[in-house]
Structure formats: C-alpha cells, structure tokens
Amino acid sequence: MAAIKPSVPKGTRDFSPAEMAKRNFIFDTIKGVFRKYGYQQIETPSMENSQTLMGKYGDEGDKLIFKILNSGDYLSSIATLKQLFAIEGDYLQSKNREAEERSDYAEGIVDVVAERKSEFESLALQLVDELADLNKITPKISEKALRYDLTVPFARYVVMHQNDITFPFKRFQVQPVWRADRPQKGRYREFFQCDADVVGSKSLLNEAEFVLIYDEALSKLGLKDFSIKINNRKILSGIAEVVNKADQIIDMTVAIDKLDKIGLDGVTKELLERGFTEENIEQIKPIILLEGTTEEKLTSLRSVLATSEIGLKGCEELETVFNYLKSFTMQNGKVELDITLARGLNYYTGAIYEVKTNEVQMGSIGGGGRYDDLTGMFGLKDLTGVGISFGADRIYDVLEELNLFPAATDESTQVLICPFDGDGEAYALPMLQQLRNKGVNTELYPAGAKIKKQLDYANGKNIPYAVMVGSDEMATGLLTVKNMQSGTQEKLTVAQIVERLG
Amino acid sequence: MAAIKPSVPKGTRDFSPAEMAKRNFIFDTIKGVFRKYGYQQIETPSMENSQTLMGKYGDEGDKLIFKILNSGDYLSSIATLKQLFAIEGDYLQSKNREAEERSDYAEGIVDVVAERKSEFESLALQLVDELADLNKITPKISEKALRYDLTVPFARYVVMHQNDITFPFKRFQVQPVWRADRPQKGRYREFFQCDADVVGSKSLLNEAEFVLIYDEALSKLGLKDFSIKINNRKILSGIAEVVNKADQIIDMTVAIDKLDKIGLDGVTKELLERGFTEENIEQIKPIILLEGTTEEKLTSLRSVLATSEIGLKGCEELETVFNYLKSFTMQNGKVELDITLARGLNYYTGAIYEVKTNEVQMGSIGGGGRYDDLTGMFGLKDLTGVGISFGADRIYDVLEELNLFPAATDESTQVLICPFDGDGEAYALPMLQQLRNKGVNTELYPAGAKIKKQLDYANGKNIPYAVMVGSDEMATGLLTVKNMQSGTQEKLTVAQIVERLG
C-alpha cells in the first residue's frame, strides 16, 4: 500500500497528552461546579435526523450543518436517468431502422426524431436540474447530520423523554459540535460546547445561580478579574416601545451594542441611518450612558421606562436577581448590569448573560439567557428555560496566556523507575506495585535502555521523580531518587520511597 | 412550524443522567487505572480524511464507514452532464434546420443525426455510469468520514506527531466511533471505545502490565471472577507449521476457536472439511486439549512445537510474560493460557488477549494484542505496538445485571432545601452557600411549590436528604432534616446541618 501523508481535515484538531490534561482541568472544574448546583449530565448522539436540525439555525446555519451520506440506496435519481437513456436508445434505433427501410419517408422521420429528441431532452434536463439542486438531492442521499449545537438536541431530548424527566430539569452537557464554517484562528469545525440549562422553572433564583456558577467555576480556574454582565430582553423591548419603535428593536440594539467600539457619536449616527429620529435618540441617550450602582441604574431605567409595562417588568426581574445575589458572597467575578448587551436577541425573552475576562484581550468567554419556548419546535409548548454556556477554547487560551494551568495534574506519572539492566528490573517490580497500590501513578522503564534515554523519557513526560536501580543500589538496598526539577539526588530504601512518594 | 415527532437515528442513543452517572463510573475507573500505569490521554477528531480510513478495515469495513457530505461543489459531474445536453441540443437543432431546408438530403441527415445521437448517448451513459458508481462518485461528494475505530486514527496521530512524541508512547483514548452496521441488541451505530496502547517498546513487561491493568480496573468496577486469557500468535503459527499447513493458519484457528461451542468432534469434522488430514488432527489434538497449569501447558507445547522456531519463540514470550506476573499480586482476575484464542489474527503478531466474566453469560468484555507494524500504512515502518480495549457497553450490562453500580455517586445532589414559601427561601439562601462551600452538592427548590412536589423532586433525583424550611422552623431555628431513604426526620440548626452533611 502506498504511504499516505497523514493529515487531519481542516478545522479539526488532535489533542496531545499535554493539551488533554489542560482541557480536562477546564472541563472537570466546570462539571464539578455544575454538579454542586444540582445539574446532571446527559449526552445525546453525535448524529441527529436531519429534520431535527434543519430550519433551526436560519438559512446560514443550515448550510453549515455537516450532512452524513446514506450508505447505499441514494442513487435512485441517477438510475432513473439511466433508464431514460435506455428507452430513448431503443426508440431511436427503431426509428433509424424505419428510416433506412423507407427512405421516402426520411424527411418526416427527421421531424419525428427531432421532436422526440426534444421531449426526451426536456425530461432529462428536468431530472438533471433535480439532481443538481442541493436542496432536492440532499434528502435523497443524506438523512442524518452532525450536531450543530447542544441546545436543539437538548430540546429534542426533553420532548422525547418528557415522561421520564423530573421537572424542573437541570441538565448539563459537554460534547463536541460540528460546523462547516471557514476555519480561522480560534474558529474550528469541531469544537466542544459546555452548556447548563434548567427547563420548567420560572424562578429567577435560577438566573442568580447561573451568576454564582460562572463566578465559582472561573474563580476555581484561577481567573482573578472578570465581569458577568447581565441584561434583560424585556428592558430592550421597553426602550423600543417608549420611542415607538417596537418593530425596530433589532436595529436599535445592534446599534447600541456597538457603544464600546464606536462611541456615542457612532451610535447616534447609526441610529439616524436606521431611521431613528433626533428625538428618539434624546430619549434613548440616558439609557445608553447609564452609570452608577446597579440601584442607580435601575432607578434611571424605571423613570425612562415608566410608560412601558414590559420595560418595568424587565426592571423588576433584574432587581429580583440582584436581590438574590445579595445573600451570596461572590468570589472573583463582578456582576454588572449592562443594557447594551443584546446577544441572542432572536430567542432570549428574559435574562441575557455575557462573561468577559478583564485580564487579557479576548471575546466573551461565556453567555446565555432565558428563552420562553425552547421545545415548541418539537410540539411541547410553554416550557420555559434558562441556560448558560462556557467558551472552552477561549478559556483555554486565557489560562494559557495567564499561565494558570496547574504544573502537575493527577493525570501525570509521578515516578519513573529506571533499571540499569534486567536484574534491576526484576528487583524493582515489587516496588512498582507497592507505589501503585498507594495510588501513585508509576512507570518502570523496560530494561535494556541507557539511563540517559530513560531520564530523557522522564523529562519528556514531565515526570517529577526518577528512581535509579543499578548494581550498587541493589547491593546496598539504597536506591537513588532523583528530583527531576531540581536535579538533587537522595539515597532511600524501597520502604522509604514508598512512604515518601506514596 | 409543524411539530416534528422527535426521534434519534437508529442505532444511536441518548444517555440520561442516571445512565451517564453509571457510564462515568466505568470510564473514570478505567481512565484512573490507565493513568496509574503511565498511560496518557489523547483525542483525535471525529472526522478523518477519507483516505486515512478507507482500505484499512477490508471491503466490508469500508462499507460501514459513515461518510460526510462535502458542502457545496460536489455536483461537477452533473454540471458536465447538463453542458453535454446543451451542446447536443444546439447541434441537433442545426441539423434539423438543414433537413428542413434541403429535404433531398434528408436521408443522409437521418444517418448523421442517428450517428451523432449514438455518440452522444455513449458519452452520456458513461457519465451516468460514473455517477452511479459509488466508489467513483463518493470522493466527489465526500472527502471526510467518521472515525470507525481508535486504532487507525492513533496510527495516523503517531506518524503525524512523531517528532513531538517521547517513545515508548503510552496513550489511552476514550471516544465514540461510528459504524453503519445493522443495529441489533448490544450493537450500536455510535458507541465508545476505550483503548490503551504502547508503541515503540518491544519489552514483554508491557504485555504483563496489560494483564494487571485488566485485573485492577475490572476488580475496581466490582467484578469478582473473570478470566484474562492470553495466547501468542507465534504459537498458532508454530502449530500450523508443524503440520505443514502454514498457509492454512486461518482455517485451522477458526476451527480450533470453536472448541467451546462444538466440542472436539465438531472441531475434528471442521478440520477435515477444511482439508486437514487425520494425521494432522492427531498432531494438533494434544494442543487443543491442553490442560494443567501454565507450566505444564508450556511444557507440552514445547514438545509438540520442538521443530518450529517460531512456535518455540511464542512459548518463550508467553513464559516471560507469566514470569513477570509472578512478581505481582493479582486481585480478582485469573490469567489463563488459552491457545484456542485467535481473535484479530489478521494483524496481531505476538500476544493476544481476551477477557471474559465468569459471573454472567456475556461475550468478551475486553481484548487486544501486539502488532508489529501499526504505522506502516502511513509510512512509518517497524514501529511495534501492543494494546488492549475495554468493551464499555458490555461491562455496563454486566455491572447492571450484577447490581454493582454504586447507589450514590459524587455526581448526585446530596441535599435538597425545601422552603415552604418565599420567606423560607430567603432564610435558606445562606445555608445553600455554606453547604456548597463545604463541597456538598446542594439545591434549593425555588419557592412557590407544595412540599409534596418538592419531595417528589428529591425522590425523582435520588437526593438522600431534604431540609424543610417552614415558619415553625424559622421561629425555633431548628430545621427539619428528612432522610429520604429511611423516612426518618430530625430537627437540627443550620450550623448542625452544615456540620453533619458537609
């Protein structure tokens, strides 16, 4: 067999042992916090029926879904085309025979052939068109697709298993998703999502607890300064309502969302371009420039939104969340009311979250919100939910940049036993088991390699201790223990080693 | 949007929180043991380039690989076909015009048209054939496929990253694989494999350590009686050699492998059918019926295989492995020399493993072996490897049948706080945080639900303790703690509860 130059598909990645240890540190930390708050893990299949996924992510999203080829019977259109050719071949042959036999009728036959040809062509072209139309051909050759996110499969799960679920259902899910996006820095075609959602509970305590979950998980990961921004869709609706632009809420929020980047003048310009009046902008301005404590912000909002029922409802909800949070001590996170926050506006109906680190330059490392009708698309109406997501790849980059990954994890080998020869190997086998019985991750380098090579191996795997077993060591019963970081060596008995390192 | 009746693709599964807790128990246990023996985790992408996978699993395997549809430009053949129709249409139209104008030449034109038609037809049919040929069309519409096992992607990984790897490379991998097999009981289209392999070390200590890994992991999972069967491909080669049937080693081992099921008479009959002579069978019989201790078995084998160099080499290797094992204390597993063991004979070159539980009726729950040229297919020659695999789905079924899953895991919520109303909720919030700070998985059921519903929720999630917070409780400071298993209740202060359950 010819050797194939090995590669992975673009936008996908291998994870080395060192990378896996870091990824596991992130995922295990977040999972532990999810569990502490009563969230339980589920997993759904990597592939879903296409009809479960298609139409849920907009036209752009649909195009980015990876479709899986049916095995076998997807060529029926091509078979039809082939049949058509065969029938036509027979017909033309018979006409040709006729023409040869009755040359006086040739002209008429030319017409018949031409007419028949044109009929045939239009049929075949129609079939070719059908084959060429991606939307028509795809269902014939593909009925399954790879998960695009964790939310739609979760909605499908809830509806499918609704009779077995105890509501409110608090679930988390950490699994890969696939998107046929153009790969670029930080954007992959396969990446893990890390979501927690609760469905079937309207209580705003859930909203407050998600703030605590972000705070606890990110603090545990070692972040010292990060903002958990919170907003409420109802406040955005209220603002649009008081300026009589309820139908232009998206235009408005898209503009306001850019305040950080383009400043007040930029936002004003954009609002004018999008059909807002100077008067509208005067009304909105105090909201955009909202400052002070959360209480002060809410007071200002209440006065601006005084005429909007939905706006006031949004203020009340946010106040309840902030009141809940007063009963808890936060760790390193700062919770912050940010009415310019508008992510996921198409589906969020209440709280909206976004999390950013203030230690390095990086997009949001988390986000989420409340949606009032998650499962409606699968026929289960009026089930409210609220959920958050951690951006694991970005968190990885942040921890890397801040050098926050623990140097050694319990995933690493702690001790490498290095025998000088077969005798040393035999001598060391019982110690190997004793250390493992004590729970120490231990390896013995198989006899036959030079000590230099064995120590290189220890360095390559970041193993902190090497125990050398040569003839001197066996004669005296004192083995050489080398600290691979400091380079210092000690002579210890097997019992002392097991005691010390175990 | 019309509601879709939700379902998952056949052969795939959702995993509920209860199932996930059990699966995590299995995977975490095995991963912990892998790490203790110095194996490090890697992950590879779910999708590989088709050329990485195709041709590695035989024709049958190739058919079972799930292929992923390219997004976009896969319809070039169909476009060509369409173009062909257009050109042909123009040509025929012009000939038709000629025919009309010069009716005296009609006959000749009929011939031209017919000839041209036949040329066109043969071209178009060729194209249709190409489209219809799965092997030819697939590369045009699909260039990626889902991982079929963990071994080939691992080989690809080793070759691709050979300059970054410290050899011997001890890696484990726990990831799903996909096969378009017909689903049936215990066979899924998506399932997890759980593999550990070491490449770049010829030492037979690795073989012995895999026996210990099986023993420790399965004992930790609670199995009391299981057999780790071991054989060596070289012994099977030796047997085939001494009866002068080296080229029929597969026929021979397939027959011998059935001893358990069809008995000695059955095996004899099958060997005769497959062209072995009565004399061959007399020679093989003592080997098939091999009994006694491992030492006795090896002595018998050595005498039968006296004339076969490779056979004696196999005996020597097995003896070395058994000698290594003498230095270790096994837990609940029994290691057993079984020369009828012939799994994976196509690629294994040395040790062959198979693990079976003796407590319930079940196929093998693990297997593996040594292969001398794992990475040759990707151009890296002579890298030897040995590896094992755990059958997670079967182990799940065994533990379920033997009732060996731990009742509560650290994944479960330990305490549910049940407030009678909003006041109770506010009163309980600080206790909620205190318990969580102590590492106790705790939930507070949001105010507004009847206590009955809250206790049903605790039962539904198997939460062992419920803490009731009503007006009496708040007045006296003594909260009611209910043990949900026994039904007993106690009155305790918040401090006592935190102390007791924390």
Side-chain angles (χ1 to χ4, degrees):
Chain A
M1 197 184 313
I4 305 154
K5 188 170 181 295
S7 64
V8 296
K10 62 179 177 178
T12 70
R13 295 166 288 174
D14 284 325
F15 296 112
S16 70
E19 288 163 332
M20 279 308 296
K22 291 173 181 176
R23 289 172 65 83
N24 285 340
F25 170 67
I26 293 173
F27 289 129
D28 290 347
T29 302
I30 297 171
K31 286 175 183 175
V33 175
F34 284 158
R35 288 187 177 117
K36 202 192 253 192
Y37 284 74
Y39 286 79
Q40 297 181 303
Q41 189 172 15
I42 68 162
E43 283 187 358
T44 62
S46 301
M47 43 180 82
E48 293 276 352
N49 293 321
S50 297
Q51 57 181 13
T52 300
L53 303 184
M54 298 303 282
K56 306 302 190 300
Y57 306 105
D59 287 348
E60 276 312 301
D62 277 2
K63 281 187 203 149
L64 301 184
I65 291 173
F66 276 113
K67 286 139 198 110
I68 294 163
L69 207 55
N70 293 347
S71 21
D73 58 354
Y74 64 90
L75 294 164
S76 56
S77 292
I78 286 167
T80 310
L81 191 58
K82 201 168 173 176
Q83 215 174 354
L84 228 147
F85 272 112
I87 294 168
E88 183 65 15
D90 289 347
Y91 179 84
L92 288 179
Q93 213 170 5
S94 76
K95 282 290 162 200
N96 209 29
R97 268 199 305 274
E98 256 183 72
E100 277 165 15
E101 283 163 18
R102 301 172 58 185
S103 61
D104 52 332
Y105 288 151
E107 197 182 340
I109 287 163
V110 168
D111 286 346
V112 170
V113 168
E115 193 185 314
R116 174 73 183 187
K117 182 72 191 26
S118 134
E119 250 173 61
F120 163 72
E121 243 183 47
S122 91
L123 252 171
L125 274 172
Q126 188 185 322
L127 204 64
V128 167
D129 273 341
E130 201 179 304
L131 280 169
D133 183 341
L134 193 65
N135 292 328
K136 283 185 187 160
I137 195 177
T138 301
K140 286 182 187 143
I141 64 172
S142 163
E143 286 157 347
K144 294 179 290 291
L146 291 176
R147 184 167 57 219
Y148 178 87
D149 72 357
L150 301 179
T151 305
V152 169
F154 173 54
R156 195 265 309 142
Y157 179 99
V158 168
V159 176
M160 201 169 142
H161 303 285
Q162 55 185 290
N163 298 325
D164 307 319
I165 290 173
T166 311
F167 290 98
F169 183 41
K170 297 164 85 169
R171 88 85 173 78
F172 76 86
Q173 199 170 345
V174 180
Q175 290 192 275
V177 302
W178 297 268
R179 296 184 182 178
D181 248 324
R182 181 181 295 274
Q184 57 186 58
K185 187 176 172 345
R187 189 201 281 162
Y188 305 100
R189 292 186 147 194
E190 173 178 61
F191 60 98
F192 274 68
Q193 285 192 337
C194 187
D195 286 13
D197 293 79
V198 48
V199 291
S201 169
K202 293 194 169 96
S203 171
L204 295 166
L205 178 59
N206 300 303
E207 269 84 338
E209 291 210 326
F210 278 129
V211 172
L212 299 175
I213 286 174
Y214 272 133
D215 179 50
E216 184 161 344
L218 295 174
S219 299
K220 270 211 168 108
L221 289 172
L223 296 189
K224 300 286 181 297
D225 182 10
F226 53 92
S227 301
I228 305 158
K229 297 179 179 187
I230 184 163
N231 192 11
N232 194 301
R233 157 71 186 237
K234 296 187 176 78
I235 288 180
L236 296 171
S237 301
I239 299 170
E241 202 173 272
V242 297
V243 297
N244 283 315
K245 297 277 186 190
D247 55 334
Q248 272 188 273
I249 178 167
I250 302 282
D251 282 333
M252 183 190 79
T253 51
V254 165
I256 294 180
D257 194 35
K258 294 182 185 162
L259 182 65
D260 271 1
K261 286 179 201 136
I262 60 178
L264 184 61
D265 288 349
V267 173
T268 303
K269 187 159 165 277
E270 185 156 339
L271 284 172
L272 287 171
E273 278 167 15
R274 288 170 184 265
F276 287 75
T277 64
E278 296 278 4
E279 194 196 342
N280 293 155
I281 292 166
E282 278 312 303
Q283 277 177 287
I284 296 173
K285 207 181 275 178
I287 302 177
I288 303 177
L289 298 176
L290 211 59
E291 285 199 344
T293 65
T294 303
E295 278 80 5
E296 287 163 357
K297 286 180 182 172
L298 282 171
T299 306
S300 307
L301 279 172
R302 279 216 169 81
S303 100
V304 177
L305 300 173
T307 59
S308 165
E309 193 183 335
I310 193 164
L312 291 175
K313 176 82 180 144
C315 294
E316 188 194 318
E317 287 188 8
L318 271 182
E319 187 166 35
T320 305
V321 174
F322 280 100
N323 277 339
Y324 272 124
L325 289 173
K326 285 181 189 154
S327 296
F328 298 94
T329 312
M330 302 264 293
Q331 298 183 35
N332 302 341
K334 292 179 192 66
V335 61
E336 195 179 292
L337 170 54
D338 179 357
I339 69 101
T340 69
L341 188 63
R343 64 183 279 150
L345 201 67
N346 289 330
Y347 39 95
Y348 291 141
T349 52
I352 302 173
Y353 301 97
E354 189 170 84
V355 183
K356 298 195 96 166
T357 168
N358 302 317
E359 296 178 271
V360 298
Q361 195 67 34
M362 180 68 69
S364 71
I365 55 174
R370 181 175 286 272
Y371 36 82
D372 276 345
D373 189 25
L374 174 68
T375 54
M377 58 181 130
F378 299 114
L380 185 61
K381 298 286 178 199
D382 299 325
L383 196 59
T384 183
V386 54
I388 59 166
S389 180
F390 284 84
D393 283 310
R394 283 188 177 167
I395 292 173
Y396 187 102
D397 291 343
V398 170
L399 298 195
E400 196 74 288
E401 194 170 333
L402 295 173
N403 206 15
L404 288 175
F405 284 112
T409 69
D410 58 3
E411 296 189 7
S412 327
T413 297
Q414 296 301 303
V415 182
L416 180 69
I417 302 175
C418 307
F420 282 55
D421 52 26
D423 289 344
E425 183 184 87
Y427 183 92
L429 292 176
M431 174 171 59
L432 177 60
Q433 188 167 41
Q434 284 172 59
L435 282 165
R436 286 179 180 156
N437 284 350
K438 280 232 172 183
V440 183
N441 297 350
T442 311
E443 291 180 62
L444 185 147
Y445 199 105
K450 295 213 169 96
I451 285 294
K452 161 99 176 56
K453 192 174 177 195
Q454 301 189 37
L455 295 180
D456 284 349
Y457 178 83
N459 281 326
K461 282 183 88 166
N462 274 319
I463 301 174
Y465 296 99
V467 178
M468 255 90 59
V469 189
S471 50
D472 282 2
E473 278 84 357
M474 288 186 281
T476 59
L478 288 170
L479 310 189
T480 307
V481 179
K482 178 168 183 169
N483 181 319
M484 297 299 291
Q485 226 110 40
S486 65
T488 56
Q489 301 197 163
E490 268 185 289
K491 294 270 189 184
L492 297 173
T493 65
V494 170
Q496 285 170 326
I497 292 170
V498 172
E499 176 67 25
R500 182 81 66 91
L501 303 177
Chain B
M1 196 185 312
I4 305 154
K5 190 172 178 295
S7 64
V8 295
K10 64 179 175 177
T12 70
R13 296 166 286 174
D14 283 325
F15 296 112
S16 70
E19 288 162 334
M20 278 309 294
K22 291 173 181 174
R23 289 171 65 82
N24 285 340
F25 170 67
I26 293 173
F27 289 128
D28 290 346
T29 302
I30 296 171
K31 286 175 184 175
V33 176
F34 284 158
R35 288 187 178 119
K36 202 192 255 191
Y37 284 75
Y39 286 79
Q40 297 181 302
Q41 188 171 15
I42 68 162
E43 283 187 359
T44 61
S46 301
M47 42 180 84
E48 293 276 353
N49 293 321
S50 297
Q51 59 180 14
T52 300
L53 304 183
M54 298 304 282
K56 308 300 190 301
Y57 307 104
D59 287 348
E60 277 311 302
D62 277 1
K63 280 187 201 146
L64 301 182
I65 291 174
F66 276 113
K67 286 140 199 109
I68 295 164
L69 207 55
N70 293 347
S71 21
D73 57 353
Y74 63 89
L75 293 165
S76 56
S77 292
I78 287 167
T80 310
L81 191 58
K82 204 168 170 176
Q83 214 173 356
L84 228 147
F85 272 112
I87 294 168
E88 182 64 14
D90 287 348
Y91 180 83
L92 288 178
Q93 213 170 5
S94 76
K95 283 291 162 201
N96 207 29
R97 265 199 306 273
E98 256 183 73
E100 275 166 16
E101 284 164 16
R102 303 170 58 181
S103 59
D104 51 331
Y105 288 150
E107 197 180 341
I109 287 163
V110 168
D111 285 346
V112 170
V113 168
E115 194 185 314
R116 173 74 183 185
K117 183 72 190 34
S118 133
E119 247 173 62
F120 164 71
E121 243 183 48
S122 90
L123 252 172
L125 273 171
Q126 189 186 322
L127 203 64
V128 166
D129 274 341
E130 200 180 303
L131 281 170
D133 183 341
L134 194 64
N135 292 330
K136 284 187 188 160
I137 194 177
T138 301
K140 289 186 185 138
I141 65 172
S142 163
E143 286 157 347
K144 293 179 291 292
L146 290 176
R147 182 169 58 218
Y148 178 86
D149 71 357
L150 302 180
T151 306
V152 169
F154 173 54
R156 195 263 311 140
Y157 179 98
V158 169
V159 176
M160 201 168 141
H161 303 285
Q162 54 184 294
N163 297 327
D164 306 318
I165 291 174
T166 310
F167 290 98
F169 183 42
K170 299 165 84 170
R171 89 83 172 80
F172 76 86
Q173 200 170 347
V174 180
Q175 290 192 276
V177 302
W178 296 268
R179 296 183 182 180
D181 248 325
R182 183 180 292 276
Q184 56 186 56
K185 188 180 171 338
R187 189 201 283 165
Y188 304 100
R189 293 185 145 194
E190 174 179 59
F191 60 98
F192 274 68
Q193 284 192 337
C194 187
D195 286 14
D197 292 79
V198 49
V199 291
S201 168
K202 293 194 170 104
S203 170
L204 295 165
L205 178 59
N206 299 302
E207 269 85 337
E209 291 209 326
F210 279 129
V211 171
L212 300 175
I213 287 174
Y214 272 133
D215 180 50
E216 183 161 344
L218 295 173
S219 298
K220 270 212 168 109
L221 289 172
L223 296 189
K224 301 286 183 300
D225 183 10
F226 53 92
S227 300
I228 303 158
K229 297 178 180 187
I230 184 164
N231 193 12
N232 193 302
R233 157 71 187 236
K234 297 188 175 79
I235 288 180
L236 296 171
S237 300
I239 299 170
E241 202 173 270
V242 296
V243 297
N244 283 316
K245 296 276 185 191
D247 55 334
Q248 271 188 275
I249 179 168
I250 302 283
D251 283 333
M252 183 190 80
T253 51
V254 165
I256 294 180
D257 193 37
K258 294 182 185 160
L259 183 67
D260 270 1
K261 287 180 200 134
I262 61 178
L264 184 62
D265 289 350
V267 173
T268 303
K269 188 159 165 277
E270 186 157 336
L271 285 171
L272 287 172
E273 280 167 14
R274 288 171 183 264
F276 288 75
T277 64
E278 294 278 4
E279 195 196 344
N280 291 156
I281 292 165
E282 278 313 303
Q283 276 179 287
I284 297 173
K285 207 181 276 177
I287 302 176
I288 303 176
L289 299 176
L290 211 59
E291 285 199 344
T293 64
T294 302
E295 278 79 6
E296 287 162 357
K297 286 180 182 173
L298 281 172
T299 307
S300 307
L301 279 172
R302 281 219 167 78
S303 100
V304 176
L305 299 174
T307 58
S308 164
E309 192 183 336
I310 193 164
L312 291 176
K313 176 80 179 145
C315 293
E316 188 193 316
E317 287 189 7
L318 272 181
E319 189 167 30
T320 305
V321 174
F322 280 100
N323 276 340
Y324 271 124
L325 289 173
K326 282 181 191 155
S327 294
F328 299 93
T329 311
M330 302 262 293
Q331 298 183 35
N332 302 340
K334 292 180 192 65
V335 60
E336 197 178 291
L337 170 55
D338 180 357
I339 70 101
T340 69
L341 188 62
R343 63 182 283 150
L345 201 66
N346 290 331
Y347 38 95
Y348 292 141
T349 52
I352 303 173
Y353 302 95
E354 188 170 84
V355 183
K356 298 195 94 166
T357 168
N358 302 316
E359 295 179 90
V360 300
Q361 196 67 36
M362 180 67 69
S364 71
I365 55 175
R370 181 176 285 273
Y371 35 83
D372 276 344
D373 188 25
L374 173 68
T375 53
M377 58 179 128
F378 298 114
L380 184 61
K381 297 286 177 199
D382 301 324
L383 196 61
T384 183
V386 53
I388 59 167
S389 179
F390 284 84
D393 284 311
R394 282 188 177 165
I395 291 172
Y396 187 103
D397 291 343
V398 170
L399 299 195
E400 196 72 288
E401 194 170 333
L402 295 173
N403 207 14
L404 289 176
F405 284 112
T409 68
D410 58 3
E411 297 189 6
S412 329
T413 297
Q414 297 301 302
V415 181
L416 180 70
I417 302 174
C418 307
F420 282 56
D421 52 26
D423 289 345
E425 185 184 86
Y427 183 93
L429 291 177
M431 173 170 60
L432 176 60
Q433 188 168 40
Q434 284 173 59
L435 283 165
R436 285 178 180 158
N437 284 348
K438 280 231 169 185
V440 183
N441 297 351
T442 310
E443 290 180 64
L444 185 148
Y445 199 104
K450 295 214 170 94
I451 285 294
K452 162 100 176 54
K453 193 174 175 193
Q454 300 189 38
L455 295 179
D456 285 350
Y457 178 83
N459 282 325
K461 281 182 89 166
N462 276 317
I463 300 174
Y465 296 99
V467 178
M468 253 91 56
V469 188
S471 51
D472 282 4
E473 278 83 357
M474 286 186 284
T476 60
L478 288 170
L479 311 188
T480 306
V481 179
K482 181 168 181 169
N483 180 320
M484 297 300 292
Q485 227 109 43
S486 65
T488 55
Q489 301 195 160
E490 267 185 290
K491 295 272 190 183
L492 298 172
T493 64
V494 170
Q496 285 171 327
I497 291 170
V498 173
E499 176 66 26
R500 183 81 65 88
L501 304 177

